[in-house]
């Protein structure tokens, strides 16, 4: 059983999650590798797929969305799981009193989860590195507008036990 963990990551936090999922799957006895979604050519080499992307401004990164849309017919015939790396901070509840993980579901999931008949979907807390170089318009604006500079919590909020536990459920499902 060969599993591909395909990811789209702007600053590396989601790549780290994808690599930990692949490592957990390998420890469970599966063949698994993590690759950037944009670099994947031969889907037929894999039996199952875990696909993850970071969420920015309520949207899944384009490379993850494009990968699923482009391959939706093939993916629908294989076991697939989707994840997003999104909320940051330590609060489980957001300012509107909602579960952070519910508010962080990328808009594309409503279309993509049923399109590939995903067996599961998950939201993981992400990371923001204070030393990162801003990429894209929103990040550049946030880095120059004084009021926006402190708007985002900075730090690594990835929950490794939760990530490994989710990967272990995938390994059990595929066993
Ligand atoms: C400008 C900006 C916008 C963001 N928007 C969202 C969002 O809409 N939803 C969310 O859950 N997380 C959001 N985040 C948090 C990122 O998704 C999180 O930091 C993620 O782990 C980054 O992953 P990456 O390093 O792989 O790019 C945002 C972060 C930044 C800097």
């Amino acid at each position: 059983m060969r599993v591909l963990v395909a990811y789209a990551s702007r600053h590396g936090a989601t790549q780290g999650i994808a690599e930990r999922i692949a490592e957990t799957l390998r420890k469970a006895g599966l063949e698994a590798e993590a690759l950037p979604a944009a670099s994947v050519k031969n889907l037929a080499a894999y039996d199952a797929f875990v696909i993850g992307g970071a969420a920015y401004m309520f949207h899944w990164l384009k490379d993850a969305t494009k990968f699923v849309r482009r391959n939706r017919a093939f993916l629908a015939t294989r076991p697939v799981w989707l994840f997003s790396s999104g909320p940051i901070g330590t609060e489980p509840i957001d300012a509107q009193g909602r579960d952070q993980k519910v508010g962080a579901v990328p808009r594309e999931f409503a279309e993509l989860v049923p399109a590939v008949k995903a067996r599961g979907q998950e939201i993981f807390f992400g990371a923001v590195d204070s030393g990162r170089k801003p990429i894209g318009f929103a990040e550049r604006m946030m880095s120059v507008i004084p009021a926006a500079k402190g708007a985002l919590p900075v730090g690594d909020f990835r929950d490794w036990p939760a990530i490994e536990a989710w990967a272990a459920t995938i390994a059990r499902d595929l066993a």
Side-chain angles (χ1 to χ4, degrees), residues 9-14 54-58 85-88 104 126-128 132 139 142 152:
S9 178
R10 193 182 275 172
H11 290 288
T14 314
Y56 283 91
M57 312 309 278
F58 307 104
S85 128
I88 43 181
V128 171
R132 74 194 194 288
E139 286 185 28
M142 289 181 77
L152 278 181

Side-chain angles (χ1 to χ4, degrees), residues 66-87:
K66 273 199 261 176
F67 179 81
V68 177
R69 283 199 181 129
R70 195 169 354 109
N71 299 300
R72 63 202 297 162
F74 180 84
L75 291 169
T77 67
R78 297 285 187 280
V80 174
W81 288 261
L82 304 184
F83 75 88
S84 182
S85 128

Side-chain angles (χ1 to χ4, degrees), residues 65-138:
T65 301
K66 273 199 261 176
F67 179 81
V68 177
R69 283 199 181 129
R70 195 169 354 109
N71 299 300
R72 63 202 297 162
F74 180 84
L75 291 169
T77 67
R78 297 285 187 280
V80 174
W81 288 261
L82 304 184
F83 75 88
S84 182
S85 128
I88 43 181
T90 51
E91 296 301 322
I93 304 297
D94 69 15
Q96 286 76 41
R98 275 182 318 180
D99 183 332
Q100 288 255 41
K101 289 187 172 186
V102 174
V105 174
R107 300 231 162 105
E108 291 75 12
F109 273 28
E111 167 206 340
L112 300 178
V113 168
V116 296
K117 304 187 184 73
R119 290 193 183 186
Q121 66 178 79
E122 193 55 71
I123 305 299
F124 294 117
F125 275 75
V128 171
D129 178 356
S130 59
R132 74 194 194 288
K133 205 168 164 274
I135 299 175
F137 180 75

Side-chain angles (χ1 to χ4, degrees), residues 1 19 121 171-172:
M1 173 72 71
E19 285 168 353
Q121 66 178 79
R172 280 197 292 278

